Amino acid sequence: MASFGHALFRMDRQMRSLRTNAALAAVVAAAATATLLAPGTSGADTATAPVAAADPNVRAVCEDRRPGPAAPGSYGMQLDGTFRHPALTPVDEESEHPFPGRNAEYDTRSYIKNMKVEAAYEGSEFTPDYFHTWQNIVDFDGRRYLFQYDRSAGRVYDITDVKNVKVVEKLGRDDVDGDETRANGDWDAHDYWGASTIQWNKKLNAYVMVQSFESKRQIEELSDHPPHDKYNNPDGVRKLREKPGLKGFKVYRLDGPRKKDWKLLATVSTDATQKNPLASDPASAQQGSGSIDVPYWTGEKYMFIAAAPDDTYSGTEYPTNLHSAGYQSWDMSDPARPKLLDTWHLPGQRTGEDAAYRANPRCGNRTSWMGARMPLFLPKPVEQGGRYAFAAMGGYGLTVLDVSDPSDMKTVSHLDLPPSVSGTEGDNIDVSQYEKTGMIYYSGYPLTEDCYEPYKDVYQIDAKDPENPRIVGVLPRPTPPKSSGITDYCQRRGSFGPKRTGYYTNPGQHTPGVLGYGFYNAGVQFFDVSDPADPEISAYFVPKAYGPETAEYAYGNQTHGVYVEWDRNIAWTLTNHGIYALSSRKVLGKPDLDAPAKPFRNSEF
């Protein structure tokens, strides 16, 4: 791995405002704090020392340096109206962290700039999950459909007429208490709707959907804190290892928009210990993480997924996660018989690679997610001449890979990013601008409310020379309008920071110079990056914090997704209370509120 000192960077230009300078200074301060943190100085309860783990793949390579709570006076509102983030915090997703100047109540007003709400759809029919969902688009018989889902909870909407969206499918497991081991009218035992890519396959002359089947991330066997985290709870680790279920992916042919139209083509295990990955038993326990998040596949020959192939892929500090995912490449020439081509990981990710793991400043913090959360990001498909792929690996930073030969993925370069603990440090890379500017946009996302963690900057990384990627700036921090009565979104309550810019599966061709991020309590924020040296926020829509059917525990998880129809210039915004259809003539262009001119078939680049 490259020296961590490379992450303590010098900016190539003067930042646009004092606010951005302050944000960057906080990032560097947090990096220095995390780097210098020594065993025994974390503030953690040293009387609760970790017991020897019974499982050899629960790694305690470094002494416990779990961060203690941030001192109340070390963060909060400043005299100039900005917010100072704590430099280092433990995992703490459940608690409130009030500070002087924070709103007493969640904000039920909305704010908008250079955008228009074309339609709004609220309630449980449009909120399969309060915290996160995936989306896809398909077109059948002149109609356009939006899929929204998270495991057993799913919806299918006819969105042909943007102003008159209709629910055509509703899936769930409420009648069996959400138990994935039990069948019901919608699902077989151990089945659910995994994060998917859907592309048109010329060989089958049909849509083909590849669904990820992965380890569940919110689990009852382990907790975020001792004594019930993975370091101190061997019995919980054992129970988790013994849980049945497919670790891998499924491949379906779609002959229509509803679940009854799915035809299973293949069930594939990524567990390297299976004798035949195409004939595994999902009713028994399997090793590894499975395929994580949306697979990268454009309907042609090659597919890339994030996966930990067995339990030795263990190099992560996160207290409830047992696996540190690398990447796999697959041959999808025959969608019914996928073939594994190659597996890649960074030194330190596997049991026994302790020297490399110890070199990471996060070692021992019992907090950081380390390993892939999403598959590789490719600016251009390999089949179209693409060579480079970018990997966002949480606490492992950024890696550039040469995937021109998918059967032999090679490391080109690596860049460490400043620690930003807690929260997810590296999850998404937007590569939509790379072919034109050489810039990629790397970000994590917040896990706590009330800004009780370092701010998650969106890093501008110049990767024109793939062997020497370098941080050259950060995108501007969103600020609330004067009408809100606050000067920083941390005051609005809830989580604040970037999520993702949607997915490469969005229909149509990405508008040059435009990035749209779901930003939690700051709604959806659109950035103009046409001049990388002078990025600015060009439009936003900040909805109310919650709706009448939103569970109170989800009030803080506000706007967590944006999915853009680039061919119709409509931005679907996903919140904890429903869906908004947004347009922006200035940013996206004239909206098309009727049936699309041509059906979505394959992702465009």
Side-chain angles (χ1 to χ4, degrees):
M1 297 175 71
S3 167
F4 178 70
H6 292 166
L8 299 178
F9 53 87
R10 292 186 60 192
M11 298 301 291
D12 284 357
R13 65 181 178 85
Q14 187 176 14
M15 302 306 291
R16 296 180 65 246
S17 66
L18 290 174
R19 184 181 299 276
T20 306
N21 274 325
L24 187 59
V27 169
V28 177
T33 301
T35 305
L36 297 173
L37 188 66
T41 64
S42 69
D45 183 2
T46 54
T48 312
V51 299
D55 190 308
N57 292 313
V58 174
R59 296 166 67 187
V61 175
C62 297
E63 294 181 63
D64 187 347
R65 301 185 303 148
R66 192 187 318 261
S74 67
Y75 67 96
M77 296 303 298
Q78 305 295 286
L79 294 176
D80 63 355
T82 62
F83 183 86
R84 177 184 175 87
H85 286 257
L88 189 69
T89 51
V91 178
D92 190 2
E93 298 184 41
E94 304 300 326
S95 304
E96 291 185 17
H97 297 279
F99 54 86
R102 189 195 74 164
N103 283 353
E105 305 292 339
Y106 288 96
D107 189 355
T108 55
R109 295 172 294 172
S110 61
Y111 311 97
I112 195 165
K113 174 185 175 182
N114 290 335
M115 302 202 83
K116 178 183 178 182
V117 177
E118 298 289 352
Y121 303 95
E122 289 193 52
S124 60
E125 296 289 281
F126 298 93
T127 317
D129 188 273
Y130 294 125
F131 287 93
H132 176 74
T133 55
W134 288 284
Q135 300 81 40
N136 298 99
I137 290 284
V138 292
D139 287 278
F140 286 100
D141 301 322
R143 310 296 297 177
R144 172 153 289 187
Y145 299 91
L146 173 68
F147 294 161
Q148 185 190 18
Y149 55 95
D150 178 34
R151 296 181 78 97
S152 297
R155 307 285 187 272
V156 178
Y157 312 111
D158 184 333
I159 61 169
T160 311
D161 179 352
V162 172
K163 292 184 177 292
N164 187 28
V165 168
K166 297 178 181 179
V167 180
V168 299
E169 181 85 297
K170 181 179 179 180
L171 303 168
R173 255 196 179 99
D174 291 344
D175 58 327
V176 292
D177 299 321
D179 186 351
E180 290 177 355
T181 67
R182 298 171 61 186
N184 71 345
D186 292 334
W187 302 102
D188 294 333
H190 309 291
D191 198 17
Y192 56 85
W193 196 339
S196 303
T197 181
I198 301 174
Q199 304 285 337
W200 191 261
N201 182 259
K202 293 179 181 178
K203 179 178 180 179
L204 299 181
N205 195 35
Y207 284 116
V208 173
M209 173 167 61
V210 183
Q211 289 187 1
S212 286
F213 277 69
E214 61 179 291
S215 303
K216 201 168 185 178
R217 298 180 192 175
Q218 301 295 327
I219 52 178
E220 60 184 19
E221 289 81 9
L222 301 174
S223 77
D224 291 337
H225 306 287
H228 299 297
D229 62 358
K230 68 181 181 182
Y231 298 100
N232 301 279
N233 185 6
D235 188 53
V237 171
R238 177 186 58 77
K239 290 178 180 178
L240 194 57
R241 300 276 196 218
E242 293 174 352
K243 290 185 75 168
L246 173 67
K247 303 290 184 63
F249 58 92
K250 290 186 178 182
V251 185
Y252 292 90
R253 172 181 173 139
L254 301 189
D255 294 320
R258 297 169 180 82
K259 186 173 180 291
K260 67 179 180 61
D261 303 315
W262 301 358
K263 179 182 178 181
L264 182 63
L265 301 179
T267 298
V268 185
S269 176
T270 54
D271 176 359
T273 70
Q274 297 288 320
K275 292 182 180 180
N276 182 354
L278 299 179
S280 67
D281 180 11
S284 63
Q286 298 188 10
Q287 286 199 35
S289 65
S291 175
I292 300 177
D293 223 301
V294 177
Y296 175 89
W297 183 57
T298 61
E300 299 186 67
K301 183 174 182 179
Y302 299 115
M303 180 173 75
F304 300 92
I305 64 173
D310 61 51
D311 291 344
T312 67
Y313 285 74
S314 58
T316 179
E317 292 290 317
Y318 201 77
T320 61
N321 183 27
L322 300 180
H323 301 107
S324 180
Y327 300 96
Q328 291 185 333
S329 54
W330 288 78
D331 183 337
M332 294 289 288
S333 300
D334 180 358
R337 298 195 63 82
K339 297 178 181 178
L340 177 64
L341 297 175
D342 195 19
T343 299
W344 177 96
H345 76 284
L346 278 173
Q349 286 194 265
R350 300 190 71 179
T351 298
E353 299 174 345
D354 289 359
Y357 191 74
R358 194 175 290 112
N360 193 301
R362 297 160 185 80
C363 184
N365 73 16
R366 308 296 192 258
T367 304
S368 293
W369 183 287
M370 300 170 68
R373 290 179 71 101
M374 294 182 71
L376 293 170
F377 298 86
L378 280 72
K380 180 187 293 186
V382 173
E383 297 87 348
Q384 297 179 22
R387 178 179 179 183
Y388 297 109
F390 299 94
M393 302 190 71
Y396 286 114
L398 166 72
T399 298
V400 183
L401 282 74
D402 184 335
V403 296
S404 55
D405 178 2
S407 65
D408 185 21
M409 297 185 287
K410 296 178 180 178
T411 302
V412 174
S413 61
H414 182 82
L415 178 67
D416 287 319
L417 277 295
S420 181
V421 181
S422 58
T424 302
E425 297 177 78
D427 162 82
N428 188 71
I429 302 176
D430 190 288
V431 296
S432 64
Q433 313 302 307
Y434 181 72
E435 293 294 304
K436 295 179 176 63
T437 67
M439 299 291 291
I440 62 174
Y441 296 83
Y442 180 105
S443 58
Y445 63 84
L447 290 177
T448 62
E449 295 192 20
D450 302 323
C451 295
Y452 187 67
E453 63 182 73
Y455 178 65
K456 299 300 179 283
D457 271 301
V458 180
Y459 291 102
Q460 298 173 276
I461 297 178
D462 183 343
K464 286 191 290 290
D465 177 1
E467 295 185 1
N468 295 286
R470 59 197 184 97
I471 300 172
V472 295
V474 295
L475 292 186
R477 177 185 176 113
T479 55
K482 290 183 179 180
S483 60
S484 68
I486 56 176
T487 57
D488 192 278
Y489 276 111
C490 292
Q491 297 171 275
R492 195 172 188 250
R493 301 194 60 169
S495 295
F496 168 58
K499 179 63 172 175
R500 296 172 182 167
T501 51
Y503 297 94
Y504 73 95
T505 59
N506 303 45
Q509 195 162 38
H510 199 117
T511 301
V514 174
L515 300 179
Y517 285 86
F519 236 89
Y520 291 101
N521 73 1
V524 57
Q525 299 276 330
F526 277 89
F527 294 82
D528 180 348
V529 295
S530 54
D531 179 0
D534 191 24
E536 62 180 5
I537 296 171
S538 53
Y540 59 72
F541 171 64
V542 182
K544 59 189 179 183
Y546 60 89
E549 296 183 30
T550 307
E552 188 172 353
Y553 63 78
Y555 283 4
N557 189 71
Q558 295 168 24
T559 299
H560 47 259
V562 58
Y563 196 79
V564 180
E565 291 184 77
W566 297 104
D567 58 349
R568 292 204 296 175
N569 297 327
I570 296 295
W572 297 94
T573 298
L574 298 313
T575 77
N576 63 5
H577 58 275
I579 301 174
Y580 294 85
L582 306 175
S583 66
S584 176
R585 289 176 179 263
K586 178 177 180 179
V587 176
L588 300 176
K590 182 181 177 181
D592 181 357
L593 304 180
D594 300 315
K598 64 177 183 177
F600 166 71
R601 288 295 183 248
N602 298 94
S603 298
E604 298 180 39
F605 297 87

